[in-house]
Amino acid sequence: MSLHELLPDASLAGQVRRWFLPVNPDARGGRRDAASRPADTDVEYYQPYARFLGLGTSHTETHRDHPGRFVERGTRCNACRWFEVRIFREVLLPDGVASIEELSAADASRVQLGEYVIHSSGMSIVDGEVTFFRYETTRSPYMVIELMTTRQTTDRGPEAFLAKPAAHALAEAAEFDVALRDAYVNRAVS
Ligand SMILES: [Zn+2]
């Protein structure tokens, strides 16, 4: 489930076209937590021509047993607030060609693969809270794994792992992108 109609769902994985990915204007490259975001942020669109490789989400249909319609701040309910991540890879067309449908056989060999795009959404249906969008790009499939890796320090020391949405998106993406498949299979974290 996505709150944003322009964000593709899993059924569109593998499609190549221009995507319109919502981004908070002040969010490019930065990490900000939900509490610090302004309530009235306008959304811009990052518009890569790309193959959609996969998505993962922490969304659940069922609310946890919380009083009131929405969960309070600081309490987790993945039906009230959740995280979505999508992976794309840019498709670079020859000059003058607007879509892969227009490609001639002669041009087909001039199509190149560009950067990976990782688009993240912090979703909320709680009154007074807004959704939060950002993206990061990288040429390296290993960097895709790194950018999607959660690092935290616990009493057992530093830990690195792929949270469930990230792992799901990567597993889906591995089906459509050979370089990412190799990086995923050979990853150091589980
Ligand atoms: Zn809830």
Side-chain angles (χ1 to χ4, degrees), residues 63-64 66 69-71 77 79-80:
H63 290 265
R64 282 178 64 161
H66 54 72
R69 194 155 154 241
F70 301 121
V71 78
C77 170
C80 284

Side-chain angles (χ1 to χ4, degrees), residues 71-184:
V71 78
E72 40 185 78
R73 192 177 287 276
T75 308
R76 181 190 292 261
C77 170
N78 285 346
C80 284
R81 297 189 195 96
W82 67 99
F83 175 74
E84 297 179 8
V85 63
R86 289 171 174 79
I87 310 172
F88 301 81
R89 190 168 191 187
E90 283 184 299
V91 174
L92 307 174
L93 299 171
D95 283 348
V97 180
S99 75
I100 52 166
E101 288 75 20
E102 288 177 18
L103 272 182
S104 65
D107 276 342
S109 63
R110 294 167 57 213
V111 174
Q112 297 199 328
L113 293 175
E115 294 196 303
Y116 295 95
V117 178
I118 302 165
H119 183 270
S120 309
S121 309
M123 300 296 199
S124 174
I125 58 166
V126 179
D127 276 342
E129 294 186 358
V130 293
T131 50
F132 181 72
F133 305 106
R134 68 185 179 87
Y135 73 93
E136 292 171 290
T137 61
T138 177
R139 292 216 152 267
S140 159
Y142 296 96
M143 198 60 190
V144 174
I145 310 280
E146 175 59 29
L147 289 170
M148 297 181 78
T149 297
T150 301
R151 293 180 187 283
Q152 60 187 31
T153 304
T154 69
D155 30 350
R156 293 185 299 280
E159 290 185 336
F161 61 93
L162 289 171
K164 201 172 150 199
H168 195 277
L170 281 167
E172 228 173 60
E175 186 180 333
F176 298 104
D177 190 276
V178 174
L180 194 53
R181 181 186 313 156
D182 290 345
Y184 181 60

